[in-house]
Amino acid sequence: VPKLFTGVRRADGFVGSMGCSVLFLFVILFLNVMNTRLKNRLYRIVVDEINKNEKTPLDVRKRFYLDLFAKADTQKDMRMCPQEAIFLKDWETVVRKADAVKRKICCTEAGYTFLCEPLAVVSVWLGYAFSGIYGYFGIISIGEIVVFASSIKRVAQSIVQLGENLGFFKECGSVAVAFREFMELPRIRHEGTIPVEKRRDNKFSVEFDHVSFRYPGTKDYVIRDLNLSFVIGERLAVVGRNGSGKTTFIKLLCRLYDVTEGCIKVNGIDIRKYDFQEYCRLFGAVFQDFSIFDFPVGESLAASEQVDERRAKEALFRAGLAERMARLPEGLGTPVGKSFHQENGVNFSGGEKQKLAIARAIYRDAPFVIMDEPTAALDPEAEMEVYAGFDRMVGNKTAIYISHRLASCKFCEDILVFDKGCVVQHGTHEELVGQEGLYRRLWEAQAKYYGE
């Protein structure tokens, strides 16, 4: 190094001086810094372009079609409507526009690469020339030329790598800031700590105290100033027109949402004060939009790899699936569907999946069993089987039953009639049919078609 900066030989007008050495090193450093800045700029442009396009309607449509084409259930409707031609035409438009975005990104990458690569090559060759000139004039030896040239190359590569790492750290810093801001957001859901009271009789007093609720981002209330007290321990039906607030009422009880105004109390305590996970264990639910995942039957019921075989078989029997299970090749180990198991997976019908959802709620062995339209996918005979065996399915649990078919409410001791987010009637089937009101009008409208 001292030789490089204190060269004293002159030859053919070349001065081996400190100034010349510094100039060469500065040029090499400058070229590598520019190379690094261009690469970081390219990375930033590509990332911004990708992020921008992930939020556009075009990308939303692309994801919609990819999800649509991947589902076997949607193919029937597409072909029978028929809508294939419409979907494929729009899909081609989406693909063309997406390809245009990709071409734009590729052209940007090519342009920056055209600038970056020559800079990298020039900086390396300048290093070789720099060391060669010093060797030619005898400032450094032949052995030192090799060491010096390779050292310059490694230094140049290190500078580029350092710049790229600094750009990466900067990007990570922006992400870390966003993550920190997200983690510092206040909790919307209240986290309680009180344990839920354990009761052998599974009887819990429930009170809706001036409860109102509207979904986030909306102004209209789905539940309006609901005041309701009842002791659950038997069979409760919830009925009403579409959009009257029945399912929302259940979701609030299950704490899938927290109330907008007022509070819900169980055994006199605001449910938000209970430990959330422990409170959730009070409920086994079958919702309208239930999902049965592609796992073995036993794991689907238990939501765990640890399956109590006796409980699982009992739940399947009570849900009316005993005969179907007897025909499965691997019993509880039979996979549901063929997404992951093409050879031994079994496709269940819509009604069978609904019974599996009922069996899953029974297996949970929770004090509350909630069924939201549990017979929607069943044929009349299977529906009658569910009605007749409802007590067998639920056992000594509390049952909350949501249905549009009022004949299914006859076996319930208590019925809540919802309309526009409020309970407008409350009583047994016989009491409500015998009085003027919404329940009687709904019953008479259905009786005309079903001969009931």
Side-chain angles (χ1 to χ4, degrees):
V1 174
K3 290 182 180 181
L4 296 180
F5 293 98
T6 59
V8 294
R9 295 188 58 183
R10 296 171 181 266
D12 298 331
F14 177 82
V15 180
S17 65
M18 178 183 293
C20 185
S21 303
V22 171
L23 178 61
F24 266 106
L25 292 175
F26 176 79
V27 171
I28 293 173
L29 178 63
F30 174 77
L31 291 174
N32 283 282
V33 170
M34 288 300 298
N35 185 15
T36 301
R37 289 180 63 86
L38 286 172
K39 286 186 176 181
N40 287 336
R41 175 63 177 166
L42 171 62
Y43 174 77
R44 183 68 265 166
I45 290 175
V46 172
V47 170
D48 289 344
E49 191 69 25
I50 292 173
N51 290 338
K52 181 179 69 175
N53 283 283
E54 283 182 347
K55 301 175 183 178
T56 61
L58 174 65
D59 190 70
V60 172
R61 285 165 64 192
K62 179 182 176 182
R63 293 174 184 272
F64 165 76
Y65 282 120
L66 289 175
D67 186 56
L68 182 72
F69 297 147
K71 292 181 178 178
D73 293 342
T74 61
Q75 306 304 313
K76 300 189 295 292
D77 295 323
M78 287 175 58
R79 296 179 184 182
M80 296 304 296
C81 288
Q83 295 174 309
E84 287 179 302
I86 299 174
F87 286 140
L88 291 176
K89 182 179 179 180
D90 193 44
W91 170 247
E92 290 176 0
T93 303
V94 171
V95 170
R96 284 197 299 270
K97 292 182 178 179
D99 286 343
V101 173
K102 290 181 180 179
R103 284 195 297 270
K104 179 181 178 182
I105 294 175
C106 290
C107 290
T108 303
E109 290 180 331
Y112 274 87
T113 302
F114 180 78
L115 294 175
C116 293
E117 292 304 320
L119 289 177
V121 172
V122 169
S123 66
V124 172
W125 281 104
L126 278 178
Y128 290 153
F130 182 52
S131 57
I133 291 172
Y134 270 84
Y136 176 79
F137 288 106
I139 298 176
I140 57 178
S141 66
I142 298 298
E144 290 173 327
I145 291 175
V146 177
V147 175
F148 185 55
S150 61
S151 298
I152 288 180
K153 183 179 180 180
R154 286 197 297 269
V155 169
Q157 292 174 342
S158 298
I159 292 172
V160 173
Q161 187 64 49
L162 176 62
E164 292 178 353
N165 288 339
L166 290 175
F168 177 72
F169 291 151
K170 183 178 179 181
E171 179 67 20
C172 289
S174 63
V175 174
V177 170
F179 179 75
R180 185 185 64 187
E181 292 175 352
F182 171 76
M183 294 301 295
E184 290 176 352
L185 289 174
R187 287 184 177 271
I188 299 177
R189 187 180 68 198
H190 298 277
E191 297 289 347
T193 57
I194 300 176
V196 178
E197 179 185 3
K198 306 297 188 299
R199 297 185 63 97
R200 294 183 178 179
D201 56 7
N202 288 327
K203 291 183 180 292
F204 294 85
S205 63
V206 179
E207 178 183 0
F208 281 68
D209 185 9
H210 294 283
V211 170
S212 296
F213 175 78
R214 61 169 180 255
Y215 287 97
T218 63
K219 296 181 180 180
D220 297 330
Y221 282 90
V222 182
I223 300 292
R224 301 172 183 271
D225 194 31
L226 179 61
N227 290 281
L228 180 66
S229 298
F230 53 91
V231 176
I232 296 181
E234 297 177 338
R235 310 289 183 258
L236 175 69
V238 180
V239 302
R241 298 188 179 100
N242 289 331
S244 60
K246 305 184 299 296
T247 299
T248 302
F249 165 76
I250 295 301
K251 289 180 178 179
L252 291 176
L253 180 62
C254 295
R255 277 209 71 190
L256 296 178
Y257 294 104
D258 278 335
V259 299
T260 305
E261 299 170 10
C263 69
I264 303 173
K265 299 177 182 178
V266 171
N267 291 348
I269 299 176
D270 189 333
I271 62 175
R272 290 170 292 190
K273 295 182 179 179
Y274 287 118
D275 177 87
F276 179 74
Q277 295 298 330
E278 190 169 342
Y279 181 78
C280 286
R281 284 194 285 271
L282 289 176
F283 303 95
V286 181
F287 291 107
Q288 289 178 342
D289 51 351
F290 69 90
S291 296
I292 298 295
F293 304 105
D294 288 9
F295 298 116
V297 172
E299 294 182 17
S300 296
L301 297 185
S304 170
E305 293 181 353
Q306 306 299 322
V307 182
D308 187 325
E309 186 173 339
R310 183 193 61 78
R311 281 176 58 192
K313 290 181 177 180
E314 175 67 18
L316 291 167
F317 170 76
R318 287 160 62 182
L321 280 173
E323 293 184 6
R324 182 70 173 96
M325 289 303 300
R327 299 195 305 270
L328 294 181
E330 300 180 32
L332 294 176
T334 303
V336 178
K338 294 181 177 291
S339 297
F340 304 131
H341 306 85
Q342 292 291 333
E343 296 181 358
N344 57 346
V346 174
N347 288 322
F348 288 83
S349 67
E352 289 171 339
K353 286 185 176 180
Q354 194 151 34
K355 288 184 177 181
L356 280 175
I358 294 173
R360 181 173 60 188
I362 296 172
Y363 181 94
R364 190 171 173 81
D365 196 28
F368 293 86
V369 176
I370 297 174
M371 296 190 178
D372 189 356
E373 294 290 342
T375 61
L378 302 182
D379 57 66
E381 290 185 358
E383 183 181 39
M384 183 58 65
E385 180 185 351
V386 170
Y387 293 158
F390 193 75
D391 285 338
R392 182 190 72 240
M393 288 190 297
V394 176
N396 63 346
K397 312 297 182 185
T398 295
I400 303 177
Y401 188 88
I402 304 175
S403 178
H404 286 97
R405 185 167 167 77
L406 302 188
S408 63
C409 301
K410 291 181 178 180
F411 58 82
C412 295
E413 291 87 353
D414 204 0
I415 301 173
L416 302 178
V417 184
F418 271 77
D419 189 33
K420 297 179 181 180
C422 301
V423 174
V424 294
Q425 289 182 282
H426 185 192
T428 64
H429 172 75
E430 289 74 16
E431 291 172 346
L432 296 177
V433 169
Q435 59 186 245
E436 185 62 35
L438 177 60
Y439 187 88
R440 182 175 178 177
R441 293 197 298 273
L442 294 175
W443 171 261
E444 291 175 348
Q446 290 187 4
K448 288 190 299 184
Y449 296 102
Y450 291 102
E452 295 172 348

